[in-house]
Amino acid sequence: MNNSPKKYNNTKATLAIAKGSLRSMLRSPSAVVFTLAFPLIFILVFGFIGGNGGIKIDVGVAKGTDTTNMVYQALKANPVVHLVLNKTEADMKADLEKGRLDAIISVQKNTLGGAPILLDVQYTKASRENSKIFASVINSMISRINTPPVITPVPMLVQLHESTIEGRIYKTIDFILPGQLGFSLLSSGVFGTAFVFLSLRITLVIKRFFATPVKRYSIVLGEMLARMIFSLIGALFIIMIGHYAFGFTLVNGVVTVVNMLILSIIGLIVFMGFGFVVSGIAKNESSVPPIANIITLPQFLLSGTFFSISAFPAWLQPISRALPLTYLNDAMRKVAFEGATLFDVSHQILILFIWMVIIYTVAVKTFKWE
Amino acid sequence: MAKQPIITVNNLVKKYDDFTAVNGISFEVYEGEIFGLLGPNGAGKTTTLEIIETLRDKTSGHIMVDGFNIETDGAAIKQRIGVQLQAAGYYPNLNLTELIELFSGLYGIDVSANEMLEKVALTDKAKSKYKELSGGQKQRFSIATTLINNPRIVFLDEPTTGLDPQARRNLWDLIREIRDNGTTVVITTHYMDEAEVLCDRVAFVDGGNIIGIDTPDAFIDELIASGFERKKEVKAANLEDVFITKTGKEWRES
């Protein structure tokens, strides 16, 4: 622009596009639905299904149980045990057989002498794992109750020194939310970017832009900036709802949120690269969804959005480990739950950067302006 | 007005593979005139315009726009021209005010959206979306976007196609106003009555060549001098005059 009479401001043009694009996005129902509604629905569903995420043991309480004694009270206070009252004996029996109940208890005052309280527990083979857990709950409770407090110290042969490290309860939401956040970024990045650039191209909006002094990179940067702001607002919203409504763990509070947003930006840049490629390949708007789905669906299913990758068969795992969303999800979970720093997840970030280089190399070759 | 060329096109050629869209066109557009490019579809009008507008590369030839060479000073040219494209869309989901804001950002200047809309009598549509406008309103809005950077030249590609007679006349008034404010206008059209009343000079383009440049009057006089006669006797009014008289000059916005 040597001969330009006045200095043209590329930043101003970029920001003007970002502002227009952001306004447009906020008014576009599909953008809002994909970025916010879908992930939130999944989070709601899994948030409620998971409850507090830990193990729940459903225990039927037989009719006529004495609810005033310490055994019953101890069970009632135990967060793992869910006592089921108000069922007939026959129903309870049937539920126990089907595994809907993990055990049935009956607590009675012992009027025949011996221990003052009789505890009768029925387990079921239909729910082996939970029955076992309940058995150990019962055993530890009983040994605690039966051991009288030591009054006079006796010489000890073994001194037991126990310590428990401070662990955090890993809740369903801690697994689900980072996955949903990753998926939100993936669909917004791929679908959003592909649709916007394709429609700007075929409705000649971009051609009209080219009749102004705007630079091509300003158009791309402006659009990317708008999508980033939009998706980060969405991400923040998802994290906040997850945290306040479902107790999503943010180990280091604000720092964790900031780290998650930085990871979101890195992931989003990769996913927008896919979007640029799709917009270049697609001939018209109706061919965007099939092509975009080829990119998003496998990642949705195989990148540990819903299930841990370690649950997949061995032959599937290498595929999972090749996908960028896998690494974003992984890094998100480490940062949010384990309190990892971005440096700790540099391996995942490095792989995302490799994807970035690959996908933008392809995008530069396939992207079409007209 | 002194006839100072503001656009000089010299031997412009545009080839697509084995098809020649523009085959050695030369013409000048004078400062402050309304210049019409006329010709059948596929004659090369739009291609010629888009090359001058720096939207397309030429195969060969030499073009100067307001003293700038199209090859080396594309960016400077873009700052001093306004372009209305045939069938161009606008950014989705934005209202007219926001679109003007967007374009003023693209031109890197600050304008009052309201003032721009006032120039084309669309202030009452400031909060409407482009797609909600009528055909005439759409064209007037397109013209508003070409005026944002206070251009030296505006290019209008078939701005009146598909408009009803009232909207067409309304647009003519707007185009004359732009010219009277000192802006050169280059326009393409398929309507010869429009070219006749609107254009100061016209060029006929056919098969990628210019086959004549002159004032509409001179062309008509030349044809009559050659002995041409209309089959039907010319009356003092035509059917469009009847239409306008019967339906009124008031522009219907619907």
Side-chain angles (χ1 to χ4, degrees), chain A residues 124-144:
Chain A
T124 173
K125 286 191 174 172
S127 169
R128 227 163 227 220
E129 288 301 310
N130 282 1
S131 288
K132 268 188 212 157
I133 295 167
F134 189 56
S136 77
V137 167
I138 294 282
N139 284 335
S140 75
M141 181 186 73
I142 286 173
S143 77
R144 190 158 19 90

Side-chain angles (χ1 to χ4, degrees), chain A residues 1 3-6 8 12-13 16-17 19-21 23-24 27 203-205 207-213 223, chain B residues 50 55 68 73 75 78-80 83 85 87 89-94 98 101-103 105-108 110 145:
Chain A
M1 301 246 331
N3 299 313
S4 163
K6 50 186 183 261
Y8 179 70
K12 189 168 180 162
I17 291 170
K19 190 175 171 189
S21 174
R23 274 173 168 164
S24 177
R27 288 175 201 161
T203 58
L204 301 183
V205 172
K207 190 174 179 186
R208 178 67 186 83
F209 281 2
F210 284 164
T212 73
E223 287 292 343
Chain B
E50 289 186 352
L55 293 176
F68 290 94
D73 302 316
K78 282 177 184 187
Q79 289 198 30
R80 44 190 60 229
V83 174
L85 298 171
Y90 289 89
Y91 210 98
N93 297 325
L94 299 185
E98 292 162 347
E101 279 173 22
L102 170 57
F103 272 101
L106 295 181
Y107 283 108
D110 293 303
T145 67

Side-chain angles (χ1 to χ4, degrees), chain A residues 7-117:
Chain A
K7 189 98 180 82
Y8 179 70
N9 191 338
N10 286 310
T11 313
K12 189 168 180 162
T14 307
L15 292 179
I17 291 170
K19 190 175 171 189
S21 174
L22 189 60
R23 274 173 168 164
S24 177
M25 248 181 257
L26 290 170
R27 288 175 201 161
S28 150
S30 66
V32 176
V33 164
F34 272 105
T35 307
L36 276 183
F38 274 9
L40 280 180
I41 288 168
F42 279 117
I43 286 169
L44 284 176
V45 168
F46 283 96
F48 284 125
I49 288 179
N52 69 5
I55 306 144
K56 266 279 177 238
I57 299 164
D58 295 307
V59 178
V61 180
K63 284 272 179 281
T65 285
D66 170 23
T67 56
T68 57
N69 62 67
M70 50 161 60
V71 172
Y72 183 84
Q73 292 304 326
L75 283 175
K76 197 178 168 188
N78 191 322
V80 173
V81 178
H82 175 230
L83 295 177
V84 178
L85 306 159
N86 310 325
K87 277 204 171 180
T88 65
E89 203 171 327
D91 280 351
M92 262 195 238
K93 189 114 180 100
D95 283 351
L96 189 65
E97 276 167 13
K98 288 174 189 154
R100 282 190 204 146
L101 285 180
D102 301 309
I104 296 177
I105 55 160
S106 163
V107 193
Q108 304 292 341
K109 281 206 176 80
N110 190 353
T111 50
L112 304 169
I117 299 167

Side-chain angles (χ1 to χ4, degrees), chain B residues 39-236:
Chain B
N41 280 331
K45 304 186 298 286
T46 300
T47 307
T48 304
L49 277 195
E50 289 186 352
I51 291 168
I52 301 172
E53 291 158 1
T54 71
L55 293 176
R56 249 177 237 273
D57 292 329
K58 60 184 168 55
T59 306
S60 66
H62 185 257
I63 299 176
M64 294 293 284
V65 177
D66 198 23
F68 290 94
N69 190 327
I70 200 141
E71 265 168 273
T72 51
D73 302 316
I77 291 172
K78 282 177 184 187
Q79 289 198 30
R80 44 190 60 229
I81 62 172
V83 174
Q84 187 236 23
L85 298 171
Q86 235 181 82
Y90 289 89
Y91 210 98
N93 297 325
L94 299 185
N95 66 37
L96 301 193
T97 305
E98 292 162 347
L99 284 172
I100 299 273
E101 279 173 22
L102 170 57
F103 272 101
S104 66
L106 295 181
Y107 283 108
I109 52 175
D110 293 303
V111 294
S112 146
N114 206 44
E115 259 172 48
M116 296 313 301
L117 293 175
E118 210 178 299
K119 285 187 185 178
V120 295
L122 279 175
T123 41
D124 54 330
K125 295 283 172 187
K127 298 286 172 221
S128 302
K129 309 267 164 69
Y130 177 76
K131 62 180 178 198
E132 296 160 0
L133 302 179
S134 71
Q137 289 167 340
K138 279 183 178 160
Q139 292 300 353
R140 281 190 297 163
F141 178 72
S142 289
I143 291 175
T145 67
T146 70
L147 300 175
I148 287 172
N149 55 335
N150 196 18
R152 300 267 294 136
I153 311 159
V154 296
F155 296 88
L156 309 175
D157 200 354
E158 295 188 21
T160 61
T161 299
L163 301 187
D164 68 23
Q166 281 90 352
R168 215 152 68 97
R169 274 150 205 258
N170 176 288
L171 216 59
W172 295 351
D173 291 339
L174 177 61
I175 292 166
R176 285 198 193 98
E177 215 177 289
I178 292 168
R179 189 239 351 240
D180 295 344
N181 286 334
T183 307
T184 307
V185 178
V186 179
I187 186 170
T188 70
T189 179
H190 286 302
Y191 304 117
M192 293 307 120
D193 61 326
E194 179 169 295
E196 189 181 336
V197 299
L198 196 58
C199 296
D200 298 306
R201 288 191 315 137
V202 296
F204 286 98
V205 187
D206 194 17
N209 292 293
I210 287 207
I211 49 181
I213 306 180
D214 214 327
T215 63
D217 262 348
F219 273 121
I220 294 167
D221 290 345
E222 183 193 0
L223 186 66
I224 293 170
S226 75
F228 176 87
E229 271 181 49
R230 278 198 183 181
K231 290 200 178 96
K232 192 172 159 187
E233 192 188 333
V234 181
K235 297 176 182 169

Side-chain angles (χ1 to χ4, degrees), chain A residues 215-286:
Chain A
K215 295 274 194 299
R216 290 183 173 196
Y217 75 80
S218 282
I219 300 177
V220 172
L221 279 185
E223 287 292 343
M224 287 179 80
L225 192 62
R227 188 150 299 280
M228 231 171 247
I229 294 169
F230 180 74
S231 294
L232 288 188
I233 293 171
L236 201 57
F237 201 65
I238 290 171
I239 294 172
M240 288 301 115
I241 289 191
H243 182 64
Y244 289 109
F246 299 103
F248 174 64
T249 308
L250 293 168
V251 174
N252 297 323
V254 177
V255 177
T256 302
V257 175
V258 171
N259 282 345
M260 286 180 82
L261 293 183
I262 292 170
L263 286 175
S264 299
I265 292 175
I266 296 170
L268 198 59
I269 292 174
V270 174
F271 301 144
M272 284 192 288
F274 284 107
F276 286 124
V277 173
V278 175
S279 87
I281 298 170
K283 295 271 184 294
N284 52 52
E285 295 205 348
S286 59

